[in-house]
Amino acid sequence: MNILKFSLRNVCVVLPIAILFFQACNKPVILDREAGEEETVISLKKKKVLVIALDGVVGASVEEMNLPTINKMQENSVSSFYGLIDTISNAGTTWADLLTGTRLNKHNVKTENFSAGNFTQYPSFLKRLKDQNNQIRSIAITTLPLLATGVFGTEVEKHIHLADKDQAAKDSAVNRLKTDDLDLLLVDFSIANREGKTYGFGTSVSQYRQALQTIDDYIDELVYTVEHRDAYANEDWLIVVTSTHGGKPDGTYGGNGPLDRNVFSLYYNPDQKKTVVPRPLFNIPYDGNFIRFNVQNGAQLHAYVNNPAYNFGTSQNFTVEMRIKSDNTTSDDPPLISNKNWASGGNPGWLIFKQGNHTRINFATNVSGSRLDFNGPVFTDNKWHMVSVSFDRKGLISVYQDGILFHRAI
């Protein structure tokens, strides 16, 4: 039982030891609790918010750059480098996502034009704040040309648009933070988007790397200005840093690909305990290499490895995990992953295979009559899923679909 085989036609299979990929939680809980405290601290300070929006910043690139300001802020933040945005990732759709907190099926912005937006039924968070308290003072400072009109209305006290002038926008934001008693400031930087479209998105492009470093410097100055306000001791600031969309090395963006949709988000407050949201285990676009098995010349293809590491013996508990993507049903019983001779289900070993539209698990020892067969999860939706099967030598087999218990057999 020391040969591990992989085989399935028209199915993509990935082992988790080979790939780890993610979506971050898009609504983290911001805590007021210091590490080690038993009770929540209720702050009587005046709440204020700084939102820093970054156009065209790929989340994975931010992580790879190891930017000093963002690294320092992470110590008191909820953050993730692996957020996923809407299935359409152009600037219009993603800005509508950001402002309304909904997706394109609700706000209806599907192009880089806001004219079709359903902002009456799904208004921006700025309008919702103003409706709750008309005394709230908010200002928007933007650089993306798209934002000149059509998305900021009377809900902001002032919209300062400085098309493609990031440094001027930073300077304007700094001056506002120094002198103004505003409640919310939104500032947008589009330098990474411009450099990405011209030279390519990604850390392999020097111009894009420099754009990310410039943004990090801008953020450093903004945070410094906030924390040195004359009234800072009586204020409680939440600083949100988030990218709107990513992009590909060829300079394109806007599609459904993982690099187009990968964004970075950070929610910073000095009293926030460090919380990093990792990549999820399932249902995310897969970026990388995978094994795809097909029938060729009437024969099913398979991959195998003859490694003693996969010989678990007769007493060791073990768990087998894999990622699978399938869009079809099968007319026979092709194996997904196995360490046994599948000429007979009674042969010693274990097997996860496809039958019709679902997976199926088979297990047998060298003891006569020990064979066990039962159904696993259904996979025909052409999405990535995680399948985990845990074998307990006391006689318990547990099957998990995307981390949730699907079936347990004795």
Side-chain angles (χ1 to χ4, degrees), residues 258-298:
L259 293 177
D260 293 10
R261 298 174 63 193
N262 175 212
V263 295
F264 165 73
S265 295
L266 179 149
Y267 299 77
Y268 168 82
N269 179 280
D271 294 327
Q272 170 63 40
K273 181 181 178 181
K274 182 178 181 180
T275 306
V276 179
V277 183
R279 298 175 179 181
L281 295 177
F282 56 91
N283 283 346
I284 47 95
Y286 177 74
D287 180 32
N289 299 316
F290 56 85
I291 304 170
R292 184 178 184 91
F293 297 110
N294 294 287
V295 173
Q296 186 175 13
N297 299 324

Side-chain angles (χ1 to χ4, degrees), residues 44-327:
L44 299 178
K45 297 179 179 180
K46 189 173 183 181
K47 306 290 185 180
K48 294 180 179 288
V49 179
L50 169 63
V51 179
I52 305 172
L54 313 175
D55 298 301
V57 171
V58 182
S61 295
V62 178
E63 181 181 41
E64 187 177 343
M65 282 285 290
N66 203 29
L67 296 164
T69 302
I70 288 176
N71 280 355
K72 183 179 178 181
M73 293 176 70
Q74 273 194 291
E75 295 302 313
N76 299 97
S77 298
V78 175
S79 64
S80 179
F81 298 104
Y82 296 101
L84 278 181
I85 54 172
D86 220 326
T87 51
I88 295 177
S89 58
N90 66 62
T93 300
T94 56
W95 263 98
D97 289 352
L98 176 65
L99 290 170
T100 67
T102 65
R103 298 182 63 181
L104 60 88
N105 63 319
K106 292 184 177 180
H107 60 60
N108 202 43
V109 178
K110 301 177 182 179
T111 66
E112 297 202 344
N113 186 305
F114 298 114
S115 60
N118 184 11
F119 298 128
T120 300
Q121 187 174 1
Y122 301 102
S124 74
F125 75 90
L126 296 166
K127 186 176 188 307
R128 291 181 184 276
L129 287 173
K130 195 72 172 178
D131 289 345
Q132 288 292 318
N133 182 355
N134 61 13
Q135 300 301 311
I136 286 180
R137 299 187 58 228
S138 58
I139 294 174
I141 304 172
T142 62
T143 63
L144 188 71
L146 172 69
L147 301 178
T149 59
V151 68
F152 293 102
T154 57
E155 59 264 29
V156 294
E157 180 178 302
K158 191 174 185 64
H159 177 200
I160 303 167
H161 185 67
L162 303 166
D164 297 331
K165 297 179 180 178
D166 290 63
Q167 183 170 341
K170 182 266 298 179
D171 291 341
S172 178
V174 166
N175 288 334
R176 289 282 174 177
L177 290 170
K178 285 180 177 179
T179 62
D180 207 324
D181 187 30
L182 48 78
D183 299 294
L184 184 148
L185 174 65
L186 185 152
V187 57
D188 157 61
F189 297 127
S190 57
I191 182 173
N193 194 55
R194 294 195 301 275
E195 298 297 270
K197 289 196 298 183
T198 303
Y199 303 102
F201 296 85
T203 57
S204 62
V205 181
S206 61
Q207 294 88 343
Y208 189 76
R209 290 178 62 90
Q210 182 56 55
L212 295 187
Q213 183 59 66
T214 298
I215 289 171
D216 193 66
D217 293 341
Y218 288 169
I219 295 172
D220 183 43
E221 188 170 350
L222 290 169
V223 174
Y224 178 89
T225 304
V226 165
E227 295 181 346
H228 287 79
R229 284 168 55 88
D230 291 340
Y232 183 72
N234 299 315
E235 298 173 337
D236 187 10
W237 281 85
L238 171 65
I239 299 178
V240 180
V241 183
T242 184
S243 48
T244 57
H245 64 79
K248 295 187 286 292
D250 65 1
T252 62
Y253 68 94
N256 191 31
L259 293 177
D260 293 10
R261 298 174 63 193
N262 175 212
V263 295
F264 165 73
S265 295
L266 179 149
Y267 299 77
Y268 168 82
N269 179 280
D271 294 327
Q272 170 63 40
K273 181 181 178 181
K274 182 178 181 180
T275 306
V276 179
V277 183
R279 298 175 179 181
L281 295 177
F282 56 91
N283 283 346
I284 47 95
Y286 177 74
D287 180 32
N289 299 316
F290 56 85
I291 304 170
R292 184 178 184 91
F293 297 110
N294 294 287
V295 173
Q296 186 175 13
N297 299 324
Q300 292 189 34
L301 304 179
H302 67 273
Y304 70 92
V305 58
N306 189 8
N307 190 311
Y310 299 109
N311 185 353
F312 302 118
T314 60
S315 60
Q316 179 180 346
N317 298 332
F318 63 95
T319 298
V320 178
E321 292 186 324
M322 64 181 178
R323 299 218 181 151
I324 176 174
K325 180 181 179 182
S326 175
D327 61 359

